[in-house]
Amino acid sequence: MIPWSPLPPAPSTLIETPAFGSTLSAGHKVQPPLVSVVIVNWNGGEMLQACLHSLENCEGREALEVIVVDNASSDNSWKNIPALPYPFKLLRNETNLGFAMACNQGAELSSGEFVLLLNPDSILYPQSISKVIEFLSEPAQANIGICGIQLEDERGRVSRTCSRLPTPLSLIAKSWRLDSYFPRWFPPLFMKEWDHLSTRDVEEVIGAFFLVRRKVWHQLGGLDERYFVYFEEVDFCERARQAGYRTVYFAGARARHLGGGSSKQIRGKAGFYNLRARLQYAAKHFPRQQARLVVLHTLTIEPAIRLFEAAIKLKFKRLPEIWTSYQMLWRDWLAHGIRQVAIFERPPIHQPSGGENAKAA
């Protein structure tokens, strides 16, 4: 069902540039960065350029370093990056290694006290980073391991992005769509009932702006690379919780997140990756019998209900996307699931894949 084995190492090229226009006097000691911004790009197009330019206006940009990991984009977005006023590294992978592995590559190339995973479809405001760093520097917040901020949609509205960590019941309820029709009894994963206008502890913050203390990142071994895309930040939040760290949503800083920048290009396939990652999470974190129930409902009940629901709501354009997602999931199950009993043995998390396969440009 789920190929847990990591992708084989692939060649990559590292390009490193200092801040454009910066001059250092003789004997000047370069200060290490405070925040390392890691952006994973896959055909980000103009969104990547806008994201990088927004970082130019951030307060304290002299304490930033930016690492872009390009996962074999075909739109030349990685070629069109102009000179930037902050230290910058570009790691170009010749094959798409997945989001989690690319994030680990970027984090290993970084040196800041904080690691910020930032989606290329995000636009930062001048205080998006400085305010949250100021908050995390307070002694009372020393046990916060992960922090997210307010994210606006295209219309400037605060999006409801925080989530509850999945449970066997919540995923089975999701398969039956009970979380949509009976949210009082079956709360959905996304905390839509909360306006996101206040700072509070949460179980998970969205990966579009995912700020982690470096010591926590290293203690947990980075993201689990067995997730190709989706659920890697959910898994990280769960492991951080188990290690005793808090995850906090900070309402004192804001950024804009357009959402679905890359996934819109491959809706059906993106749906498959999301479904497969859900089953991977269940296999890793739930007891065996409960994980099997989640797998059973996801493979059988859920596709029938979702196709029926789209049809009666006359959303006929959604039918091919839904069908593609589950067809790919079934094929993946037939190819890997039946013979791969080791899925329930929870093999060790692979350590971050750094630049050992990178060659300097």
Side-chain angles (χ1 to χ4, degrees):
M1 180 186 87
I2 298 165
W4 281 106
S5 301
L7 292 172
S12 53
T13 302
L14 176 63
I15 302 172
E16 184 172 359
T17 62
F20 174 72
S22 64
T23 57
L24 296 177
S25 59
H28 181 88
K29 185 177 181 180
V30 178
Q31 295 296 319
L34 178 63
V35 180
S36 299
V37 183
V38 177
I39 302 172
V40 175
N41 179 57
W42 183 76
N43 295 328
E46 295 180 356
M47 292 186 297
L48 174 63
Q49 316 303 321
C51 178
L52 292 172
H53 282 306
S54 72
L55 283 160
E56 296 180 23
N57 301 317
C58 283
E59 291 183 357
R61 74 180 187 193
E62 65 278 358
L64 301 180
E65 68 170 345
V66 179
I67 300 98
V68 172
V69 182
D70 185 82
N71 261 337
S73 294
S74 58
D75 67 346
N76 291 326
S77 53
W78 62 279
K79 292 183 178 180
N80 300 321
I81 298 174
L84 299 167
Y86 41 73
F88 176 79
K89 298 174 184 175
L90 169 65
L91 183 67
R92 163 72 175 168
N93 290 323
E94 295 184 13
T95 58
N96 189 342
L97 301 181
F99 181 76
M101 187 177 290
C103 285
N104 286 347
Q105 287 179 309
E108 188 163 337
L109 290 170
S110 70
S111 57
E113 182 180 341
F114 297 89
V115 176
L116 172 59
L117 304 184
L118 184 67
N119 276 15
D121 57 355
S122 300
I123 303 294
L124 299 187
Y125 297 128
Q127 295 185 321
S128 294
I129 296 178
S130 60
K131 283 290 186 181
V132 68
I133 295 299
E134 181 181 345
F135 169 69
L136 291 175
S137 298
E138 298 173 3
Q141 316 305 337
N143 62 342
I144 296 177
I146 305 165
C147 195
I149 65 173
Q150 282 188 343
L151 296 176
E152 298 176 350
D153 62 16
E154 294 177 342
R155 298 182 180 180
R157 301 170 300 187
V158 175
S159 301
R160 303 187 178 191
T161 55
C162 294
S163 298
R164 302 172 179 88
L165 289 170
T167 65
L169 178 60
S170 68
L171 293 186
I172 291 173
K174 186 175 181 67
S175 291
W176 284 89
R177 301 289 287 162
L178 297 175
D179 59 338
S180 295
Y181 295 104
F182 306 101
R184 177 180 297 182
W185 295 281
F186 302 95
L189 293 178
F190 278 103
M191 302 173 68
K192 297 180 180 180
E193 75 285 356
W194 172 43
D195 60 15
H196 283 59
L197 298 182
S198 59
T199 298
R200 59 174 284 187
D201 284 53
V202 294
E203 294 183 353
E204 181 217 337
V205 294
I206 192 172
F209 186 106
F210 198 80
L211 186 65
V212 185
R213 296 186 191 272
R214 178 169 295 278
K215 67 175 184 179
V216 178
W217 182 271
H218 282 311
Q219 181 179 338
L220 300 182
L223 300 181
D224 189 336
E225 296 175 359
R226 296 173 295 186
Y227 300 97
F228 185 78
V229 66
Y230 299 116
F231 274 80
E232 62 286 312
E233 80 279 14
V234 185
D235 173 85
F236 192 89
C237 287
E238 168 62 11
R239 290 188 285 129
R241 184 193 66 81
Q242 293 175 6
Y245 293 106
R246 296 162 55 202
T247 297
V248 170
Y249 171 86
F250 178 60
R254 183 178 293 196
R256 177 164 293 189
H257 178 228
L258 303 179
S262 297
S263 61
K264 288 179 180 178
Q265 304 173 45
I266 50 167
R267 291 185 185 273
K269 197 169 185 178
F272 156 69
Y273 284 132
N274 191 299
L275 290 165
R276 184 176 68 173
R278 182 202 302 177
L279 300 188
Q280 288 175 320
Y281 183 91
K284 179 180 178 182
H285 291 286
F286 300 162
R288 180 178 300 186
Q289 293 304 323
Q290 294 178 9
R292 286 175 173 171
L293 283 175
V294 171
V295 171
L296 177 64
H297 284 79
T298 303
L299 291 173
T300 58
I301 302 296
E302 184 172 334
I305 290 178
R306 289 194 60 188
L307 288 167
F308 176 75
E309 182 183 46
I312 63 173
K313 291 183 177 180
L314 305 181
K315 296 182 178 179
F316 299 117
K317 290 184 179 180
R318 292 279 294 128
L319 293 174
E321 297 172 7
I322 295 171
W323 176 252
T324 297
S325 297
Y326 288 96
Q327 187 180 48
M328 292 180 67
L329 187 66
W330 294 330
R331 288 175 178 172
D332 191 69
W333 171 266
L334 292 175
H336 304 287
I338 295 176
R339 69 172 182 266
Q340 211 170 47
V341 181
I343 178 178
F344 293 108
E345 296 179 358
R346 301 174 180 82
I349 295 171
H350 300 99
Q351 294 302 309
S353 298
E356 68 271 13
N357 298 309
K359 55 185 179 181

